[in-house]
Amino acid sequence: QREPRNSNARTRPPRENPEPTEPEKIYPGSNRIDDDHGHGTHVAGLIAAKKGNNKFITSLSNRIKVLPLRVNRSLSEANFKALRLARAKQQNTSKDLNPREEALLVEFSLEGSAQRIIKAINYAIDLKKPNSDENVVNVINLSLAWPRNAVSKATQDQLKAAIEKAIDQNIFIVVAAGNNRTNIKLDPCHIKGVLCVGSVDNSGYYSDFSNYGGQVNLLAPGQQILSLFPQLKSLWKNQLYNQTGLEIM
């Protein structure tokens, strides 16, 4: 869904010496779940906001718990410049890429993102309650989408296999239809067994940005949705800012 822009709720400050956690295997080099983008916090607010929080939002239940698994990060100014240079060098085959440039090209590609999403799904599937085969995770939310031919056939097959494995283990998967105003087939919306959700406005009409078509299973309100948004550092300046107002999700 669309980028979040609202609520002045703040995320917790990172621990100075966080203990190593398994999600580090999803995003190498970092085990922190601080949200420097905002989309994850916004969706988490919709799913699990507690009643009586004085933020004018509430979810379905106060008993919902969120397991945040980070698969992407925002670009720093330094990485943005390095990535732009790497892409220019990639187009000029006479110039060799250094290891850092090669790593950036993989990380900030759809292929790299898709591979981390697959790892996150498999990590969630493998979590079981102590001395039990009972799932810790009952629902997986994937508020993302990309064209099927944007990643390799091998990655498409791995994503499909991970989702099918989750469904076989009674984990419900909800995915976004996408915001391209088209009916083309996107992953993971196109994968059989997921619940693919498109957006309608407050009058019940299709949102002008929402994807549509036979692969979309359900339409739900997706505009002017109030939820949480973290306090972020500006991408270009080392300053904190807050976003307030109603979300165009």
Side-chain angles (χ1 to χ4, degrees):
Q1 304 293 341
R2 283 194 176 176
E3 307 259 330
R5 288 289 183 274
N6 72 310
S7 182
N8 56 3
R10 298 185 179 185
T11 55
R12 292 180 179 178
R15 291 176 293 174
E16 291 184 4
N17 296 296
E19 293 295 325
T21 58
E22 286 297 313
E24 187 171 355
K25 295 179 180 178
I26 299 168
Y27 213 111
S30 174
N31 59 6
R32 293 184 176 180
I33 55 172
D34 304 308
D35 187 358
D36 62 357
H37 182 273
H39 187 253
T41 299
H42 179 81
V43 173
L46 297 176
I47 294 171
K50 291 185 177 181
K51 297 178 182 178
N53 56 29
N54 296 320
K55 298 295 182 184
F56 306 104
I57 59 172
T58 184
S59 64
L60 295 175
S61 170
N62 279 359
R63 300 176 62 188
I64 297 173
K65 295 182 179 180
V66 174
L67 172 68
L69 298 178
R70 184 176 182 176
V71 296
N72 286 317
R73 64 169 174 153
S74 295
L75 276 165
S76 66
E77 183 175 4
N79 281 344
F80 177 82
K81 292 178 179 178
L83 181 62
R84 185 172 58 182
L85 177 61
R87 285 173 173 166
K89 288 173 69 175
Q90 188 180 42
Q91 293 176 355
N92 186 348
T93 54
S94 64
K95 295 184 178 181
D96 293 330
L97 297 169
N98 62 46
R100 183 195 176 206
E101 290 170 336
E102 291 178 346
L104 281 172
L105 286 173
V106 171
E107 177 183 351
F108 291 101
S109 68
L110 278 174
E111 188 78 22
S113 293
Q115 283 294 327
R116 291 190 296 273
I117 290 164
I118 293 165
K119 288 181 181 180
I121 293 172
N122 285 322
Y123 173 82
I125 293 170
D126 292 339
L127 285 179
K128 304 297 179 184
K129 293 184 178 179
N131 303 316
S132 169
D133 290 331
E134 187 178 352
N135 294 329
V136 169
V137 174
N138 298 305
V139 179
I140 295 176
N141 176 76
L142 299 170
S143 295
L144 41 83
W146 61 83
R148 300 206 74 206
N149 60 0
V151 300
S152 67
K153 178 65 165 55
T155 295
Q156 291 178 32
D157 292 343
Q158 290 169 21
L159 177 68
K160 183 173 181 287
I163 287 177
E164 288 176 345
K165 182 179 178 182
I167 293 170
D168 286 344
Q169 297 195 24
N170 298 315
I171 298 176
F172 192 65
I173 299 185
V174 184
V175 307
N179 297 333
N180 312 102
R181 200 177 183 181
T182 180
N183 64 348
I184 64 173
K185 294 178 179 179
L186 303 178
D187 278 340
C189 174
H190 180 66
I191 297 175
K192 184 178 180 181
V194 305
L195 179 69
C196 183
V197 184
S199 174
V200 293
D201 62 23
N202 290 340
S203 299
Y205 293 101
Y206 250 116
S207 299
D208 60 5
F209 56 82
S210 180
N211 289 352
Y212 54 91
Q215 67 272 21
V216 179
N217 307 113
L218 177 71
L219 297 175
Q223 291 183 252
Q224 294 183 313
I225 304 299
L226 184 66
S227 187
L228 303 180
F229 194 77
Q231 187 180 58
L232 293 179
K233 282 188 175 181
S234 167
L235 180 60
W236 307 118
K237 298 178 182 179
N238 191 26
Q239 297 176 346
L240 294 174
Y241 65 95
N242 287 325
Q243 299 286 351
T244 58
L246 288 179
E247 160 63 5
I248 304 298
M249 182 177 166

